[in-house]
Amino acid sequence: IGKGRRRLAVDQLVQRLKLTNIDFIDWLAPGELEAEIRHSTIGLGGHFADNPKARRVIAGKTYQFMAAAVPTIVGDCPANREIFTHGRDVEMVPMADPAALSRSISELAHNPRRREELGCAGAGLVRQRFAPSRVAADLQRAVEIALDRR
């Protein structure tokens, strides 16, 4: 879903490989996107490329998948390890390792109980750490510290 900067290259790859099990959707309204996410079996949160930006950021879609209790696979990098725990609330795979990503997808696809556990744990983590009240309190603390009003 979406038209990222690599969409043309991905379209060409799909055509070259004659893949027939991939559907592209250019854009969805937020409510429609949420419904699509909730119907996902596995979320590929990323980032999976190994480059400096990918190692230091967490993809927004990671939070979306997890909040919807979709079991999520992410790249094993410092940014993801800062918040998530491999095997507890996400599955982590080495970055730039398509074989490891494929194995992780296959293992989750064939293990409904594991998907349920991972999805529930991920949703719980997101509710606990990123609830609006929690984020607001953290922001207030940061502002107070910045203004030296502890």
Side-chain angles (χ1 to χ4, degrees), residues 54-107:
R55 287 189 296 272
R56 65 177 187 266
V57 299
I58 298 172
K61 63 186 171 183
T62 298
Y63 298 105
Q64 291 172 307
F65 286 129
M66 293 176 72
V70 173
T72 304
I73 303 171
V74 298
D76 186 2
C77 67
N80 284 326
R81 282 192 304 270
E82 190 174 317
I83 296 176
F84 310 123
T85 302
H86 169 68
R88 185 175 70 199
D89 38 63
V90 297
E91 288 296 324
M92 289 191 186
V93 296
M95 298 175 81
D97 189 340
L101 178 57
S102 178
R103 280 190 306 275
S104 187
I105 292 169
S106 182
E107 288 168 8

Short mmCIF file of all heavy atoms in Angstrom, two decimals, residues 54-107:
data_model
loop_
_atom_site.label_atom_id
_atom_site.label_comp_id
_atom_site.label_asym_id
_atom_site.label_seq_id
_atom_site.Cartn_x
_atom_site.Cartn_y
_atom_site.Cartn_z
N ALA A 54 18.39 3.31 8.14
CA ALA A 54 17.60 2.15 8.55
C ALA A 54 18.00 1.66 9.94
O ALA A 54 17.17 1.15 10.67
CB ALA A 54 17.76 1.03 7.53
N ARG A 55 19.26 1.84 10.31
CA ARG A 55 19.72 1.39 11.62
C ARG A 55 19.29 2.32 12.76
O ARG A 55 19.29 1.92 13.90
CB ARG A 55 21.23 1.23 11.63
CG ARG A 55 21.71 0.01 10.85
CD ARG A 55 23.19 -0.24 11.06
NE ARG A 55 24.03 0.83 10.54
CZ ARG A 55 24.49 0.90 9.30
NH1 ARG A 55 24.18 -0.03 8.43
NH2 ARG A 55 25.25 1.89 8.93
N ARG A 56 18.94 3.58 12.43
CA ARG A 56 18.66 4.52 13.51
C ARG A 56 17.21 4.96 13.62
O ARG A 56 16.90 5.79 14.48
CB ARG A 56 19.59 5.73 13.43
CG ARG A 56 19.45 6.60 12.28
CD ARG A 56 20.37 7.82 12.34
NE ARG A 56 19.99 8.66 11.23
CZ ARG A 56 20.56 8.64 10.05
NH1 ARG A 56 21.60 7.86 9.81
NH2 ARG A 56 20.12 9.40 9.08
N VAL A 57 16.32 4.42 12.80
CA VAL A 57 14.91 4.80 12.88
C VAL A 57 14.01 3.58 12.96
O VAL A 57 14.40 2.49 12.53
CB VAL A 57 14.47 5.68 11.68
CG1 VAL A 57 15.27 6.97 11.62
CG2 VAL A 57 14.58 4.92 10.39
N ILE A 58 12.83 3.78 13.51
CA ILE A 58 11.81 2.73 13.55
C ILE A 58 10.72 3.16 12.58
O ILE A 58 10.22 4.30 12.66
CB ILE A 58 11.24 2.54 14.96
CG1 ILE A 58 12.36 2.10 15.92
CG2 ILE A 58 10.09 1.54 14.96
CD1 ILE A 58 11.96 2.07 17.37
N ALA A 59 10.35 2.27 11.68
CA ALA A 59 9.33 2.59 10.69
C ALA A 59 7.98 2.82 11.36
O ALA A 59 7.59 2.09 12.27
CB ALA A 59 9.23 1.46 9.68
N GLY A 60 7.26 3.83 10.92
CA GLY A 60 5.94 4.11 11.45
C GLY A 60 4.99 2.93 11.32
O GLY A 60 4.18 2.67 12.20
N LYS A 61 5.14 2.18 10.22
CA LYS A 61 4.25 1.03 10.02
C LYS A 61 4.47 -0.04 11.09
O LYS A 61 3.56 -0.81 11.39
CB LYS A 61 4.42 0.45 8.62
CG LYS A 61 5.79 -0.10 8.33
CD LYS A 61 5.92 -0.52 6.88
CE LYS A 61 7.35 -0.85 6.55
NZ LYS A 61 7.50 -1.19 5.15
N THR A 62 5.64 -0.07 11.70
CA THR A 62 5.90 -1.03 12.77
C THR A 62 4.91 -0.79 13.92
O THR A 62 4.28 -1.72 14.41
CB THR A 62 7.34 -0.90 13.28
OG1 THR A 62 8.23 -1.22 12.20
CG2 THR A 62 7.61 -1.83 14.45
N TYR A 63 4.77 0.47 14.32
CA TYR A 63 3.82 0.80 15.38
C TYR A 63 2.39 0.49 14.96
O TYR A 63 1.59 0.03 15.78
CB TYR A 63 3.93 2.27 15.76
CG TYR A 63 5.28 2.67 16.29
CD1 TYR A 63 6.18 3.40 15.51
CD2 TYR A 63 5.67 2.33 17.59
CE1 TYR A 63 7.42 3.78 16.01
CE2 TYR A 63 6.90 2.70 18.09
CZ TYR A 63 7.78 3.42 17.29
OH TYR A 63 9.00 3.78 17.78
N GLN A 64 2.05 0.76 13.71
CA GLN A 64 0.69 0.50 13.22
C GLN A 64 0.36 -0.99 13.28
O GLN A 64 -0.71 -1.37 13.74
CB GLN A 64 0.53 1.01 11.79
CG GLN A 64 0.55 2.52 11.69
CD GLN A 64 0.56 2.99 10.25
OE1 GLN A 64 1.39 2.57 9.45
NE2 GLN A 64 -0.38 3.87 9.91
N PHE A 65 1.28 -1.82 12.81
CA PHE A 65 1.05 -3.27 12.87
C PHE A 65 0.90 -3.73 14.31
O PHE A 65 -0.02 -4.47 14.65
CB PHE A 65 2.21 -4.04 12.23
CG PHE A 65 2.27 -3.98 10.74
CD1 PHE A 65 3.44 -3.64 10.09
CD2 PHE A 65 1.16 -4.30 9.97
CE1 PHE A 65 3.51 -3.60 8.71
CE2 PHE A 65 1.21 -4.26 8.59
CZ PHE A 65 2.39 -3.91 7.95
N MET A 66 1.81 -3.30 15.16
CA MET A 66 1.80 -3.76 16.54
C MET A 66 0.55 -3.29 17.28
O MET A 66 -0.04 -4.06 18.03
CB MET A 66 3.08 -3.33 17.24
CG MET A 66 4.32 -4.02 16.67
SD MET A 66 5.85 -3.45 17.41
CE MET A 66 5.71 -4.21 19.04
N ALA A 67 0.15 -2.04 17.07
CA ALA A 67 -1.05 -1.53 17.73
C ALA A 67 -2.29 -2.32 17.33
O ALA A 67 -3.22 -2.47 18.11
CB ALA A 67 -1.24 -0.05 17.41
N ALA A 68 -2.27 -2.87 16.12
CA ALA A 68 -3.39 -3.67 15.62
C ALA A 68 -3.25 -5.15 16.00
O ALA A 68 -4.03 -5.98 15.52
CB ALA A 68 -3.50 -3.53 14.11
N ALA A 69 -2.28 -5.48 16.82
CA ALA A 69 -2.03 -6.86 17.27
C ALA A 69 -1.65 -7.78 16.12
O ALA A 69 -1.91 -8.98 16.17
CB ALA A 69 -3.22 -7.43 18.05
N VAL A 70 -0.99 -7.23 15.11
CA VAL A 70 -0.48 -8.03 13.99
C VAL A 70 0.95 -8.43 14.34
O VAL A 70 1.78 -7.56 14.64
CB VAL A 70 -0.51 -7.22 12.67
CG1 VAL A 70 0.16 -7.99 11.55
CG2 VAL A 70 -1.95 -6.86 12.30
N PRO A 71 1.27 -9.72 14.32
CA PRO A 71 2.65 -10.13 14.61
C PRO A 71 3.60 -9.48 13.61
O PRO A 71 3.33 -9.48 12.41
CB PRO A 71 2.62 -11.65 14.46
CG PRO A 71 1.42 -11.93 13.62
CD PRO A 71 0.44 -10.83 13.89
N THR A 72 4.68 -8.91 14.12
CA THR A 72 5.51 -8.03 13.30
C THR A 72 6.96 -8.49 13.27
O THR A 72 7.53 -8.86 14.30
CB THR A 72 5.40 -6.59 13.84
OG1 THR A 72 4.01 -6.21 13.86
CG2 THR A 72 6.17 -5.61 12.99
N ILE A 73 7.53 -8.43 12.08
CA ILE A 73 8.95 -8.74 11.87
C ILE A 73 9.66 -7.42 11.58
O ILE A 73 9.19 -6.62 10.77
CB ILE A 73 9.15 -9.71 10.69
CG1 ILE A 73 8.36 -11.01 10.92
CG2 ILE A 73 10.64 -10.00 10.49
CD1 ILE A 73 8.33 -11.94 9.70
N VAL A 74 10.79 -7.21 12.24
CA VAL A 74 11.57 -5.99 12.05
C VAL A 74 13.03 -6.35 11.83
O VAL A 74 13.47 -7.46 12.14
CB VAL A 74 11.45 -5.03 13.26
CG1 VAL A 74 10.01 -4.58 13.45
CG2 VAL A 74 11.99 -5.64 14.53
N GLY A 75 13.78 -5.40 11.30
CA GLY A 75 15.22 -5.58 11.16
C GLY A 75 15.90 -5.46 12.51
O GLY A 75 15.50 -4.66 13.35
N ASP A 76 16.93 -6.26 12.71
CA ASP A 76 17.67 -6.25 13.96
C ASP A 76 18.68 -5.11 13.92
O ASP A 76 19.74 -5.22 13.30
CB ASP A 76 18.37 -7.60 14.15
CG ASP A 76 19.04 -7.71 15.51
OD1 ASP A 76 18.94 -6.76 16.31
OD2 ASP A 76 19.67 -8.74 15.77
N CYS A 77 18.31 -4.00 14.54
CA CYS A 77 19.16 -2.81 14.53
C CYS A 77 19.05 -2.09 15.87
O CYS A 77 18.13 -2.36 16.64
CB CYS A 77 18.76 -1.89 13.38
SG CYS A 77 17.12 -1.16 13.57
N PRO A 78 19.95 -1.16 16.14
CA PRO A 78 19.91 -0.47 17.43
C PRO A 78 18.57 0.23 17.69
O PRO A 78 18.07 0.20 18.82
CB PRO A 78 21.05 0.55 17.32
CG PRO A 78 22.01 -0.09 16.36
CD PRO A 78 21.15 -0.82 15.36
N ALA A 79 17.98 0.85 16.68
CA ALA A 79 16.71 1.56 16.90
C ALA A 79 15.63 0.60 17.37
O ALA A 79 14.92 0.87 18.35
CB ALA A 79 16.28 2.28 15.62
N ASN A 80 15.46 -0.52 16.69
CA ASN A 80 14.43 -1.48 17.08
C ASN A 80 14.75 -2.13 18.42
O ASN A 80 13.85 -2.35 19.24
CB ASN A 80 14.24 -2.54 15.99
CG ASN A 80 13.46 -2.01 14.82
OD1 ASN A 80 12.57 -1.18 14.97
ND2 ASN A 80 13.80 -2.47 13.62
N ARG A 81 16.03 -2.42 18.68
CA ARG A 81 16.39 -3.05 19.96
C ARG A 81 16.19 -2.10 21.14
O ARG A 81 16.04 -2.55 22.27
CB ARG A 81 17.84 -3.53 19.92
CG ARG A 81 18.02 -4.82 19.15
CD ARG A 81 19.40 -5.42 19.38
NE ARG A 81 20.49 -4.53 19.06
CZ ARG A 81 21.08 -4.42 17.87
NH1 ARG A 81 20.68 -5.18 16.87
NH2 ARG A 81 22.06 -3.58 17.68
N GLU A 82 16.16 -0.80 20.86
CA GLU A 82 15.96 0.17 21.94
C GLU A 82 14.57 0.01 22.57
O GLU A 82 14.40 0.28 23.76
CB GLU A 82 16.11 1.58 21.36
CG GLU A 82 16.15 2.66 22.40
CD GLU A 82 16.46 4.02 21.79
OE1 GLU A 82 17.35 4.10 20.92
OE2 GLU A 82 15.79 4.99 22.17
N ILE A 83 13.60 -0.44 21.80
CA ILE A 83 12.22 -0.53 22.29
C ILE A 83 11.69 -1.95 22.29
O ILE A 83 10.98 -2.35 23.21
CB ILE A 83 11.30 0.38 21.45
CG1 ILE A 83 11.72 1.84 21.64
CG2 ILE A 83 9.83 0.18 21.81
CD1 ILE A 83 10.95 2.83 20.81
N PHE A 84 12.01 -2.73 21.28
CA PHE A 84 11.42 -4.05 21.11
C PHE A 84 12.38 -5.15 21.52
O PHE A 84 13.59 -4.97 21.49
CB PHE A 84 11.01 -4.25 19.64
CG PHE A 84 10.20 -3.10 19.09
CD1 PHE A 84 10.61 -2.43 17.97
CD2 PHE A 84 9.03 -2.69 19.71
CE1 PHE A 84 9.88 -1.37 17.45
CE2 PHE A 84 8.29 -1.64 19.21
CZ PHE A 84 8.72 -0.98 18.07
N THR A 85 11.81 -6.30 21.87
CA THR A 85 12.60 -7.45 22.26
C THR A 85 12.30 -8.61 21.31
O THR A 85 11.14 -9.03 21.20
CB THR A 85 12.29 -7.87 23.71
OG1 THR A 85 12.55 -6.75 24.56
CG2 THR A 85 13.13 -9.06 24.13
N HIS A 86 13.34 -9.11 20.68
CA HIS A 86 13.20 -10.25 19.76
C HIS A 86 12.59 -11.43 20.50
O HIS A 86 13.00 -11.78 21.60
CB HIS A 86 14.54 -10.64 19.17
CG HIS A 86 14.53 -11.93 18.43
ND1 HIS A 86 13.85 -12.09 17.25
CD2 HIS A 86 15.06 -13.13 18.72
CE1 HIS A 86 13.98 -13.34 16.83
NE2 HIS A 86 14.72 -13.99 17.72
N GLY A 87 11.59 -12.02 19.88
CA GLY A 87 10.98 -13.21 20.44
C GLY A 87 9.92 -12.95 21.48
O GLY A 87 9.15 -13.83 21.82
N ARG A 88 9.86 -11.73 21.99
CA ARG A 88 8.84 -11.39 22.99
C ARG A 88 7.72 -10.58 22.36
O ARG A 88 6.57 -10.95 22.45
CB ARG A 88 9.45 -10.64 24.16
CG ARG A 88 8.39 -10.40 25.26
CD ARG A 88 8.97 -9.76 26.49
NE ARG A 88 9.35 -8.37 26.18
CZ ARG A 88 10.19 -7.66 26.91
NH1 ARG A 88 10.77 -8.19 27.97
NH2 ARG A 88 10.48 -6.43 26.57
N ASP A 89 8.07 -9.44 21.73
CA ASP A 89 7.02 -8.62 21.13
C ASP A 89 7.17 -8.41 19.63
O ASP A 89 6.26 -7.91 18.98
CB ASP A 89 6.88 -7.27 21.85
CG ASP A 89 8.20 -6.69 22.28
OD1 ASP A 89 9.02 -6.39 21.42
OD2 ASP A 89 8.39 -6.53 23.50
N VAL A 90 8.31 -8.79 19.07
CA VAL A 90 8.54 -8.80 17.62
C VAL A 90 9.48 -9.95 17.30
O VAL A 90 10.11 -10.53 18.19
CB VAL A 90 9.21 -7.49 17.11
CG1 VAL A 90 8.34 -6.28 17.31
CG2 VAL A 90 10.59 -7.29 17.72
N GLU A 91 9.55 -10.27 16.02
CA GLU A 91 10.63 -11.12 15.53
C GLU A 91 11.63 -10.20 14.85
O GLU A 91 11.23 -9.31 14.08
CB GLU A 91 10.11 -12.15 14.52
CG GLU A 91 9.28 -13.25 15.14
CD GLU A 91 10.05 -14.15 16.10
OE1 GLU A 91 11.25 -14.42 15.84
OE2 GLU A 91 9.47 -14.58 17.10
N MET A 92 12.90 -10.37 15.15
CA MET A 92 13.95 -9.57 14.51
C MET A 92 14.76 -10.47 13.60
O MET A 92 15.05 -11.62 13.95
CB MET A 92 14.87 -8.94 15.55
CG MET A 92 14.22 -7.85 16.33
SD MET A 92 15.45 -6.94 17.31
CE MET A 92 14.38 -5.88 18.24
N VAL A 93 15.11 -9.91 12.44
CA VAL A 93 15.96 -10.64 11.50
C VAL A 93 17.15 -9.76 11.17
O VAL A 93 17.06 -8.53 11.22
CB VAL A 93 15.19 -11.00 10.20
CG1 VAL A 93 14.05 -11.96 10.50
CG2 VAL A 93 14.70 -9.78 9.47
N PRO A 94 18.28 -10.38 10.85
CA PRO A 94 19.44 -9.58 10.45
C PRO A 94 19.09 -8.71 9.25
O PRO A 94 18.38 -9.13 8.35
CB PRO A 94 20.49 -10.62 10.08
CG PRO A 94 20.07 -11.87 10.79
CD PRO A 94 18.57 -11.82 10.83
N MET A 95 19.59 -7.49 9.27
CA MET A 95 19.32 -6.58 8.16
C MET A 95 20.09 -7.05 6.92
O MET A 95 21.14 -7.66 7.03
CB MET A 95 19.71 -5.17 8.57
CG MET A 95 18.87 -4.69 9.76
SD MET A 95 19.34 -3.12 10.41
CE MET A 95 18.52 -2.05 9.25
N ALA A 96 19.51 -6.76 5.76
CA ALA A 96 20.10 -7.11 4.47
C ALA A 96 20.29 -8.62 4.33
O ALA A 96 21.26 -9.08 3.72
CB ALA A 96 21.41 -6.37 4.24
N ASP A 97 19.38 -9.39 4.91
CA ASP A 97 19.46 -10.85 4.84
C ASP A 97 18.10 -11.39 4.40
O ASP A 97 17.27 -11.79 5.22
CB ASP A 97 19.85 -11.41 6.20
CG ASP A 97 20.15 -12.90 6.17
OD1 ASP A 97 19.71 -13.59 5.22
OD2 ASP A 97 20.80 -13.38 7.11
N PRO A 98 17.85 -11.40 3.07
CA PRO A 98 16.54 -11.84 2.58
C PRO A 98 16.21 -13.28 2.95
O PRO A 98 15.05 -13.61 3.16
CB PRO A 98 16.61 -11.65 1.07
CG PRO A 98 18.00 -11.27 0.74
CD PRO A 98 18.72 -10.95 2.01
N ALA A 99 17.21 -14.13 3.07
CA ALA A 99 16.95 -15.53 3.44
C ALA A 99 16.41 -15.61 4.87
O ALA A 99 15.48 -16.37 5.14
CB ALA A 99 18.21 -16.37 3.28
N ALA A 100 16.98 -14.82 5.77
CA ALA A 100 16.50 -14.82 7.16
C ALA A 100 15.09 -14.25 7.23
O ALA A 100 14.24 -14.78 7.97
CB ALA A 100 17.45 -14.00 8.03
N LEU A 101 14.81 -13.22 6.46
CA LEU A 101 13.47 -12.65 6.43
C LEU A 101 12.48 -13.68 5.90
O LEU A 101 11.40 -13.88 6.48
CB LEU A 101 13.44 -11.39 5.57
CG LEU A 101 12.08 -10.71 5.39
CD1 LEU A 101 11.47 -10.34 6.74
CD2 LEU A 101 12.23 -9.48 4.50
N SER A 102 12.84 -14.38 4.85
CA SER A 102 11.98 -15.41 4.28
C SER A 102 11.70 -16.52 5.29
O SER A 102 10.56 -16.96 5.44
CB SER A 102 12.64 -15.99 3.02
OG SER A 102 11.86 -17.02 2.48
N ARG A 103 12.73 -16.95 6.01
CA ARG A 103 12.55 -17.99 7.03
C ARG A 103 11.60 -17.52 8.13
O ARG A 103 10.73 -18.26 8.57
CB ARG A 103 13.89 -18.40 7.64
CG ARG A 103 14.70 -19.37 6.80
CD ARG A 103 15.89 -19.93 7.55
NE ARG A 103 16.78 -18.92 8.11
CZ ARG A 103 17.77 -18.32 7.44
NH1 ARG A 103 17.99 -18.64 6.18
NH2 ARG A 103 18.52 -17.43 8.04
N SER A 104 11.78 -16.29 8.56
CA SER A 104 10.94 -15.76 9.63
C SER A 104 9.48 -15.66 9.19
O SER A 104 8.57 -16.02 9.94
CB SER A 104 11.46 -14.38 10.07
OG SER A 104 10.77 -13.93 11.20
N ILE A 105 9.25 -15.21 7.97
CA ILE A 105 7.89 -15.14 7.43
C ILE A 105 7.29 -16.54 7.39
O ILE A 105 6.16 -16.76 7.83
CB ILE A 105 7.88 -14.50 6.03
CG1 ILE A 105 8.26 -13.03 6.10
CG2 ILE A 105 6.51 -14.69 5.36
CD1 ILE A 105 8.54 -12.39 4.73
N SER A 106 8.05 -17.49 6.88
CA SER A 106 7.55 -18.86 6.75
C SER A 106 7.23 -19.47 8.12
O SER A 106 6.19 -20.09 8.30
CB SER A 106 8.58 -19.72 6.02
OG SER A 106 8.10 -21.02 5.84
N GLU A 107 8.12 -19.26 9.08
CA GLU A 107 7.89 -19.81 10.42
C GLU A 107 6.62 -19.23 11.04
O GLU A 107 5.82 -19.96 11.61
CB GLU A 107 9.11 -19.54 11.31
CG GLU A 107 10.31 -20.39 10.94
CD GLU A 107 11.60 -19.93 11.61
OE1 GLU A 107 11.56 -19.03 12.49
OE2 GLU A 107 12.67 -20.45 11.23
#
